């Protein structure tokens, strides 16, 4: 990994603590980098055990956003916010609006969006206090739920991986296992079935499974992720929680490609090498799941669905570019993705010197 200003150890530009005792708001906003533009990233509303846990999370998440935006080709930096507390009991109009005022006070250096525990309706509320917000409802000039665009981007990444591995992007007849058929996973299944793939799914939620069964009776269901991973798959798509790829899972995997929507799939650093050693082609998570980010960022230009979808289609070429660089430089695709993102941040920010 590159060291220095644009490496993963490069530090953050700004970290802001926000407090409003009357509403119970306790938030931290982290701006990792504005090298490519304003720092966009969601606000996570979560009952952290301690302020330290919240800080660690927001620092890691905001850095991840810098890489994600850079690789997606957006003119955006990386930022993220956390609100400490249980959203079910603490969330209120005054609290969200107080948060909106703090976002506004940063003058556009940070632009907020949805994340775990925050929804489109919350963004509409925050938008009453600041214009630096995306992920709003279509009624409010936003683009609505980004899950569809995320699923479409993962599908494009998977086609690119298929072309790299098998010489054709066609997924017809390929057996694809999807773990987690929630908002993104089930829409990915739609694309896969339409493309003629043979789909196997699993989910801990019976309701989620029932929805997929109703839409696609041909889809096979297995008991859990461990069983799915040991199936004779061509592609494995983790679409549930982070940490999906640990040592045991990589050892058990029979698929030749891993490409899914889940964030932070690599359980620890070094797993990307294990995948490489086993000859499994890993499509970096933060690249292939950037369709949702591309959608919400398009709101900054007045949302246009076709334009956003065209940009998300571009993830096909970008995924191929990452695989090509990985081969050229003899590194796993996850490392190649980081290098491409770091190079873009360094090259574009250098241009600011030209007046
Ligand atoms: P979701 O909560 O709608 O769906 C997740 C699904 O995974 C649920 O159906 C849940 O029951 C299932 N699940 C949980 N634990 C499981 C387990 N152990 N085994 C099998 N299934 C399990 O979430 P989502 O919006 O579909 O997001 C899925 C993943 O993609 C998350 O990691 C999220 O961070 C990431 N992601 C989502 C978006 C988006 O636009 N929604 C964008 C980028 C990344």
């Amino acid at each position: 990994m590159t060291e220095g200003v644009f490496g993963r150890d490069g530090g953050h530009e700004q970290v802001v603590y926000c407090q409003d005792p009357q509403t119970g708001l306790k938030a931290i906003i982290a701006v990792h980098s504005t090298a490519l533009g304003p720092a966009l990233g969601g606000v996570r509303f979560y009952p952290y055990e301690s302020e330290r846990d919240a800080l660690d999370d927001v620092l890691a998440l905001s850095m991840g956003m810098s890489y994600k935006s850079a690789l997606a080709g957006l003119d955006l930096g990386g930022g993220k916010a956390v609100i400490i507390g249980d959203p079910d009991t603490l969330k209120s109009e005054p609290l969200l609006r107080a948060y909106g005022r703090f976002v506004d006070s940063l003058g556009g250096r940070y632009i907020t969006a949805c994340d775990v525990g925050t929804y489109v309706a919350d963004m509409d509320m925050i938008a009453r206090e600041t214009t630096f917000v995306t992920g709003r409802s279509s009624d409010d000039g936003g683009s609505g739920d980004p899950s569809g665009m995320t699923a479409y981007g993962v599908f494009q990444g998977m086609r690119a991986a298929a072309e790299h591995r098998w010489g054709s992007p066609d997924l017809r007849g390929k057996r694809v296992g999807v773990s987690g058929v929630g908002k993104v996973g089930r829409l990915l299944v739609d694309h896969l079935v339409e493309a003629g793939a043979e789909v196997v799914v699993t989910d801990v939620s019976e309701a989620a499974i029932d929805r997929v069964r109703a839409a696609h009776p041909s889809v096979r269901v297995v008991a859990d992720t461990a069983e799915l991973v040991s199936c004779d798959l061509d592609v494995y798509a983790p679409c549930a929680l982070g940490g999906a790829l640990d040592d045991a899972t990589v050892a058990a995997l029979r698929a030749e490609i891993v490409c899914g929507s889940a964030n932070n799939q690599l359980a620890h650093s070094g797993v990307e090498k294990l995948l490489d050693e086993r000859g499994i082609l890993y499509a970096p998570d933060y690249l292939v799941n950037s369709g949702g980010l591309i959608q919400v960022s398009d709101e900054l230009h007045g949302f246009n669905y076709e334009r956003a979808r065209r940009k998300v289609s571009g993830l096909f070429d970008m995924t191929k570019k990452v695989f090509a660089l990985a081969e050229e430089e003899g590194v796993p695709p996850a490392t190649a993705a980081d290098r491409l993102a770091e190079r873009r941040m360094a090259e574009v920010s250098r241009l600011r010197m030209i007046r």
Side-chain angles (χ1 to χ4, degrees):
M1 213 154 287
T2 311
E3 302 208 345
V5 180
F6 294 109
R8 285 203 181 258
D9 57 353
H12 289 66
E13 282 179 20
Q14 189 177 17
V15 180
V16 183
Y17 281 72
C18 317
Q19 184 158 231
D20 180 46
Q22 237 128 48
T23 58
L25 175 73
K26 261 189 170 187
I28 311 174
I29 300 173
V31 173
H32 173 255
S33 164
T34 55
L36 295 177
L40 189 149
V43 52
R44 183 164 293 193
F45 203 142
Y46 189 78
Y48 292 98
E49 298 243 319
S50 69
E51 225 167 88
R52 180 73 227 184
D53 287 353
L55 178 64
D56 287 344
D57 206 26
V58 78
L59 292 178
L61 292 166
S62 57
M63 181 169 65
M65 291 308 296
S66 293
Y67 280 75
K68 194 167 183 163
S69 283
L71 209 53
L74 300 171
D75 293 329
L76 291 170
K80 202 91 181 185
V82 292
I83 297 177
I84 303 170
D86 182 348
D88 291 340
T89 51
L90 193 63
K91 198 186 283 178
S92 66
E93 174 180 348
L95 179 141
L96 290 169
R97 295 181 73 149
Y99 169 73
R101 293 190 74 84
F102 280 111
V103 170
D104 203 60
S105 75
L106 294 176
R109 282 178 56 72
Y110 169 68
I111 300 171
T112 202
C114 296
D115 196 78
V116 174
T118 54
Y119 302 90
V120 165
D122 300 330
M123 297 307 119
D124 287 349
M125 187 62 77
I126 290 166
R128 293 163 83 163
E129 301 297 340
T130 183
T131 53
F132 305 122
V133 51
T134 59
R136 286 168 296 146
S137 64
S138 30
D139 284 351
D140 211 38
S143 62
D145 183 358
S147 304
M149 212 60 100
T150 302
Y152 178 63
V154 173
F155 179 60
Q156 294 307 325
M158 201 181 286
R159 292 178 63 250
E163 180 164 294
H164 186 83
R165 176 50 55 98
W166 300 307
S168 161
D170 197 352
L171 293 166
R172 182 166 299 280
K174 298 293 180 198
R175 190 172 296 144
V176 184
V178 182
S179 170
V181 281
K183 292 192 291 294
V184 179
R186 78 187 160 85
L187 296 172
L188 176 63
V189 170
D190 292 348
H191 288 296
L192 291 169
V193 169
E194 198 187 340
E198 207 182 303
V199 181
V200 191
V201 304
T202 191
D203 197 295
V204 290
S205 154
E206 219 24 71
I209 289 288
D210 288 348
R211 263 198 305 271
V212 172
R213 270 206 182 107
H216 306 290
S218 66
V219 165
R220 197 176 126 209
V221 178
V222 295
D224 54 28
T225 301
E227 186 182 342
L228 182 72
V229 164
S230 61
C231 286
D232 186 14
L233 302 175
D234 295 302
V235 183
Y236 173 47
C239 294
L241 309 176
L245 299 169
D246 56 18
D247 299 29
T249 305
V250 174
L253 254 182
R254 295 171 68 189
E256 286 185 54
I257 290 171
V258 174
C259 179
S261 75
N263 274 313
N264 305 319
Q265 288 171 30
L266 305 174
H268 59 83
S269 81
V271 175
E272 72 282 7
K273 294 194 188 102
L274 296 179
L275 287 158
D276 228 29
E277 281 159 21
R278 288 218 50 222
I280 298 168
L281 185 64
Y282 170 64
D285 48 10
Y286 72 84
L287 168 61
V288 299
N289 75 12
S290 61
L293 170 66
I294 294 172
Q295 171 173 318
V296 299
S297 70
D298 197 79
E299 290 179 27
L300 300 171
H301 315 285
F303 183 60
N304 178 309
Y305 177 84
E306 291 307 328
R307 180 177 58 204
R309 197 171 154 98
R310 265 197 311 280
K311 285 191 208 162
V312 177
S313 300
L315 292 177
F316 179 87
D317 287 337
M318 187 45 101
T319 308
K320 280 181 38 179
K321 195 169 166 182
V322 165
F323 293 144
L325 183 74
E327 276 188 1
E328 204 179 299
E329 303 198 348
V331 294
T335 309
D338 280 0
R339 286 185 182 173
L340 271 178
E342 285 161 9
R343 280 174 203 170
R344 181 164 179 253
M345 284 189 263
E347 285 166 7
V348 175
S349 67
R350 188 194 61 80
L351 300 178
R352 289 185 184 171
M353 309 281 283
I354 305 172
R355 297 259 168 229

